[in-house]
């Protein structure tokens, strides 16, 4: 028996169907306009010959895609996007699991600790990027100053002028801003694990590590999976940190696909290239989602 | 089992490194915003300003016209919150309470829109708003933000509505109240906390949004507070970090305080909704 037949025994359900659709339509309409139409437009641009003012001059087939595949900076940016996404998502998970476990425990000042740990979420990524850009400033930044105070470096390092340092710092900032959301999801998962499981395993003499491996991790798995999926999407598409700190420089060494696309569209006026780049990003994310579904589905039977 | 005092000590010690990394930029923000310019641009830096100096804030508002940017941000964020709430409330109510054909399709669709970041579509969005004559218009951002943040609002509201017992409304129907009256007089008042949290979250997201605002607002005096602060780091010949840090402080601290107030509700709402 369905919900509606219980609540509406005399056919009221049928009468209510019309208005309930009208409750949903406005929201559906807005997102179809603002999200649906641009998707269509980007797809259309990617296979069109477009001038820098966005006028379509004709059908271009796969020309735009060939152009970006022949652009070494696009290939470099793709490679750097994979490194960026892997490092930020991996790093976020590595620190979020222990943080969530600690915050899930009972200790004095837990709500204060939780507020501090979730604080980076409240700050816009743009502002976080601005402050870190200053913190790692070669001449007047507090990072060099602090390292000097502790005698760890002799001369000031211009961190963002060096591609390797700059990318590493951006990855660390990326981990920092992705952590609160991930911790939040994992804390939800941990609070759903009944204490009785841990108590029973204590009676059986299980160590903390054994409990973690045999109880916590398996029961946390759906929450880990959802945080991997959402983080990959967010991080892959993340724009402000890299844009504000280095604009993809020096020498495009910190460019990721989204900063590449942005420059193609709004700095160089290569609309076709930008659209093709956006479509490639969609394709990669779609591929990831399908692969992830495939990987996480199959082992379920063995558990 | 270890005692609570020992557990407290261990927990804080383990969290200490990450807490330092989180608070470090806030300390830098505060310390720099309260320093005179010549104290920021020296090679012998100190954490504490020689004197607490509020002149940076005065210069920020009087000379750089930062009040305008704050107003722009407020207008957009309030507008986006109202529009997204006006559309999300009925949708969430319908999803939570009414029998609808294609419910699964609608929630799936919302989930997909949630996964599409505005930045990937920025080219399409820019072209659409340009065609509508909405470049340099704050209303374009209200529309854009409410569309992208609405899925989340529907999701959070629905998970909150699901926790409200149906009996309460049904009792009102029995007493002869119409559905609308029962909704307004019984259901809505109970849901005010959930609606408040959702509104604040939308407001904060809109306030913090960067890429869409950067792209749609072309004139400096139209820009939002985060965009204007970030803009200052890349354009001035001599980057005035004292002013920039004053700007980040003004843009960040009020929102961070509001956010801290609702963070407990988010933990509950998100984790329940997240995996269902």
């Amino acid at each position: 028996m369905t919900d509606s037949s219980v609540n509406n025994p005399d056919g009221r359900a049928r009468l209510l169907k019309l208005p309930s659709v009208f409750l949903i339509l406005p929201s559906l309409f807005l997102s179809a306009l603002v999200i649906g139409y641009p998707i269509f437009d980007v797809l259309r641009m990617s296979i069109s010959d477009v001038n820098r003012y966005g006028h379509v001059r004709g059908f271009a087939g796969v020309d735009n895609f060939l152009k970006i595949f022949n652009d070494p900076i696009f290939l470099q940016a793709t490679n750097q996007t994979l490194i960026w996404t892997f490092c930020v998502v991996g790093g976020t998970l590595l620190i979020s699991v222990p943080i969530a476990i600690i915050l899930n425990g009972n200790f004095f000042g837990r709500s204060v600790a939780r507020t501090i740990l979730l604080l980076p979420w409240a700050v816009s990524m743009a502002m976080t990027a601005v402050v870190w850009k200053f913190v790692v400033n070669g001449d007047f930044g507090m990072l060099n100053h602090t390292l000097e105070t502790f005698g760890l470096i002799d001369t000031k390092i211009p961190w963002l002028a060096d591609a390797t340092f700059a990318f590493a710092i951006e990855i660390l900032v990326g981990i920092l801003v992705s952590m609160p959301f991930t911790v939040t999801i994992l804390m939800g998962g941990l609070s759903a694990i009944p204490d009785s499981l841990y108590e029973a395993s204590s009676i059986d003499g299980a160590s903390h590590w054994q409990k973690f491996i045999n109880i916590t991790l398996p029961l946390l798995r759906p929450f880990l999976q959802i945080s991997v999926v959402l983080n990959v999407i967010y991080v892959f598409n993340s724009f402000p940190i890299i844009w504000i700190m280095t604009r993809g420089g020096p020498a495009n060494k910190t460019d990721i696909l989204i900063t590449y696309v942005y420059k193609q569209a709004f700095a160089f006026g290569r609309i076709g290239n930008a659209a093709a780049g956006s479509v490639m990003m969609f394709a990669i994310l779609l591929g990831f989602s399908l692969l992830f579904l495939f990987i996480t589905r199959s082992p379920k039977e063995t558990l | 089992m270890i005692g609570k005092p020992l557990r407290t000590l261990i927990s804080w010690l383990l969290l200490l490194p990450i807490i330092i990394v989180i608070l470090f930029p806030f300390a830098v923000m505060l310390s720099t915003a309260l320093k005179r310019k010549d104290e920021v641009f020296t090679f012998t830096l100190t954490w504490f300003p020689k004197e607490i100096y509020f002149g940076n804030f005065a210069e920020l508002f009087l000379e750089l016209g930062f009040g305008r940017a704050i107003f722009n941000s407020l207008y957009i964020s309030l507008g986006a919150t109202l529009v997204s709430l006006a559309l999300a409330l009925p949708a969430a109510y319908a999803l939570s309470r009414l029998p609808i054909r294609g419910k699964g399709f609608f929630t799936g669709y919302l989930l997909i829109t949630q996964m599409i970041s505005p930045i990937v579509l920025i080219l399409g969005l820019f072209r659409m708003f340009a065609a509508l004559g909405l470049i340099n218009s704050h209303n374009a951002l209200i529309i854009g933000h409410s569309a992208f943040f609405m899925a989340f609002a529907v999701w959070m509201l629905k998970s909150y509505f699901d926790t409200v017992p149906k009996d309460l409304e049904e009792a009102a129907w029995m007493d002869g109240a119409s559905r609308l009256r029962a909704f307004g007089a019984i259901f809505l008042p109970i849901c005010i906390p959930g609606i408040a949290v959702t509104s604040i979250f939308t407001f904060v997201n809109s306030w913090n949004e960067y890429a869409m605002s950067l792209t749609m607002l072309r004139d400096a005096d139209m820009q939002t507070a985060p965009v204007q602060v970030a803009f200052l780091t890349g354009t001035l010949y001599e980057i005035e970090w004292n002013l920039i840090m004053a700007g980040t402080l003004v843009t960040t601290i009020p929102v961070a305080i509001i956010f801290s107030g609702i963070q407990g509700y988010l933990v509950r709402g998100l984790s329940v909704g997240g995996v269902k």
Side-chain angles (χ1 to χ4, degrees), chain A:
Chain A
M1 220 191 302
T2 64
D3 221 20
S4 56
S5 62
V6 175
N7 290 330
N8 307 288
D10 53 337
R12 249 168 96 184
R14 202 151 23 94
L15 276 172
L16 285 166
K17 250 172 203 159
L18 195 66
S20 49
V21 167
F22 278 106
L23 294 176
I24 283 177
L25 276 183
S27 53
L28 205 59
F29 172 76
L30 183 73
S31 66
L33 174 77
V34 179
I35 301 172
Y37 179 76
I39 292 179
F40 161 76
D41 194 46
V42 167
L43 282 172
R44 188 170 65 111
M45 292 294 118
S46 73
I47 50 165
S48 301
D49 177 17
V50 202
N51 72 6
R52 59 178 301 119
Y53 305 105
H55 297 301
V56 177
R57 290 183 297 204
F59 179 69
V62 292
D63 281 3
N64 292 323
F65 291 93
L66 289 179
K67 265 188 241 160
I68 58 170
F69 283 128
N70 285 317
D71 182 355
I73 298 174
F74 171 78
L75 301 176
Q76 191 183 318
T78 307
N79 187 28
Q80 279 153 199
T81 309
L82 299 180
I83 297 172
W84 158 259
T85 309
F86 180 81
C87 291
V88 174
V89 177
T92 301
L93 276 185
L94 277 183
I95 67 164
S96 297
V97 172
I99 289 174
I101 289 174
I102 295 171
L103 288 182
N104 194 50
N106 183 18
F107 63 95
F108 292 113
R110 181 168 74 148
S111 62
V112 177
R114 198 168 74 176
T115 305
I116 297 173
L117 265 305
L118 298 192
L119 203 55
W121 196 1
V123 181
S124 83
M125 274 193 232
M127 293 301 92
T128 308
V130 165
V131 178
W132 279 97
K133 190 177 177 181
F134 178 51
V135 169
V136 300
N137 180 288
D139 296 326
F140 311 111
M142 274 297 180
L143 180 65
N144 275 342
H145 173 68
T146 308
L147 291 176
E148 273 181 341
T149 312
F150 288 106
L152 294 169
I153 53 169
D154 302 328
T155 48
K156 292 183 190 291
I157 302 171
W159 299 97
L160 295 182
D162 179 292
T164 313
F165 281 145
F167 205 39
I169 288 168
E170 285 165 346
I171 286 171
L172 289 177
V173 175
I175 292 173
L176 190 69
V177 300
S178 311
M179 175 273 295
F181 176 74
T182 315
V183 166
T184 301
I185 290 186
L186 296 182
M187 272 165 64
L190 287 171
S191 65
I193 301 176
D195 286 337
S196 55
L197 285 180
Y198 292 109
E199 283 155 15
S201 66
S202 293
I203 294 169
D204 293 341
S207 70
H208 280 295
W209 180 247
Q210 283 172 322
K211 286 181 203 168
F212 176 72
I213 294 294
N214 295 316
I215 301 173
T216 312
L217 270 190
L219 289 171
L220 211 52
R221 209 171 102 164
F223 295 85
L224 286 168
Q225 286 173 351
I226 193 98
S227 59
V228 167
V229 173
L230 291 177
N231 272 320
V232 165
I233 291 165
Y234 295 152
V235 173
F236 187 86
N237 293 328
S238 173
F239 175 73
I241 294 169
I242 288 182
W243 187 253
I244 289 171
M245 290 184 77
T246 57
R247 290 251 149 133
N252 300 101
K253 288 273 170 53
T254 62
D255 256 323
I256 58 172
L257 282 172
I258 197 67
T259 58
Y260 173 84
V261 165
Y262 200 84
K263 283 187 215 170
Q264 293 290 318
F266 295 103
F268 308 135
R270 296 179 197 138
I271 308 292
N273 288 8
S278 296
V279 172
M280 285 312 299
M281 291 185 68
F282 269 128
I284 295 173
L285 273 186
L286 192 68
F288 162 79
S289 307
L290 293 176
L291 184 73
F292 192 86
L293 268 180
F294 179 73
I295 292 173
T296 53
R297 276 283 157 79
S298 40
K300 240 173 205 166
E301 283 79 48
T302 59
L303 265 177

Side-chain angles (χ1 to χ4, degrees), chain A residues 3-4 7 16-17 20 23-24 26-28 30-35 37-39 41-42 44-45 54 95 102-103 105-109 113-124 126-127 130-135 137 139-142 145-146 156 176 179 181 184 188 222-223 226 233-234 237 239-240 243-244 258 262 265-266 271 274-275 278 282, chain B residues 4 7-8 11-12 14-15 18-19 21-22 24-26 28-29 32 35 40-43 45-47 87 90-91 94 98-101 106 109 113-117 119-128 143-144 146-148 150 166 170 179 201 208 210-211 214-215 226 229-230 233 241 244-245 248 252 255-256 259-260 263-264 267 270-271 274-275:
Chain A
D3 221 20
S4 56
N7 290 330
L16 285 166
K17 250 172 203 159
S20 49
L23 294 176
I24 283 177
S27 53
L28 205 59
L30 183 73
S31 66
L33 174 77
V34 179
I35 301 172
Y37 179 76
I39 292 179
D41 194 46
V42 167
R44 188 170 65 111
M45 292 294 118
I95 67 164
I102 295 171
L103 288 182
N106 183 18
F107 63 95
F108 292 113
R114 198 168 74 176
T115 305
I116 297 173
L117 265 305
L118 298 192
L119 203 55
W121 196 1
V123 181
S124 83
M127 293 301 92
V130 165
V131 178
W132 279 97
K133 190 177 177 181
F134 178 51
V135 169
N137 180 288
D139 296 326
F140 311 111
M142 274 297 180
H145 173 68
T146 308
K156 292 183 190 291
L176 190 69
M179 175 273 295
F181 176 74
T184 301
F223 295 85
I226 193 98
I233 291 165
Y234 295 152
N237 293 328
F239 175 73
W243 187 253
I244 289 171
I258 197 67
Y262 200 84
F266 295 103
I271 308 292
S278 296
F282 269 128
Chain B
K4 194 171 172 182
R7 185 185 267 272
T8 301
S11 300
W12 279 99
L14 288 174
L15 292 175
I18 182 81
I19 286 179
V21 176
I22 289 171
F24 192 80
F26 286 97
V28 170
M29 237 191 264
T32 315
K35 275 180 188 168
V40 175
F41 295 98
T42 164
F43 286 92
L45 293 169
T46 53
W47 275 102
L87 299 176
L98 304 175
I100 304 172
R101 208 174 295 158
F106 183 64
Y109 173 79
T113 66
Q114 173 67 30
M115 289 181 175
I116 294 170
S117 145
I119 181 73
V120 196
L121 291 178
I122 200 75
L123 177 64
L125 281 167
F126 182 82
R127 286 168 50 82
M128 183 181 75
I143 297 169
S146 37
F148 278 97
M150 194 185 55
K166 278 185 177 176
E170 279 163 5
R179 229 175 215 281
F201 193 64
N208 287 343
Y210 174 74
L214 171 77
T215 314
V229 172
T233 68
W241 286 110
I244 294 170
M245 288 301 118
T248 56
T252 299
V255 180
F259 186 89
S260 304
Q263 146 280 104
V267 173
L270 256 187
S271 53
V275 178

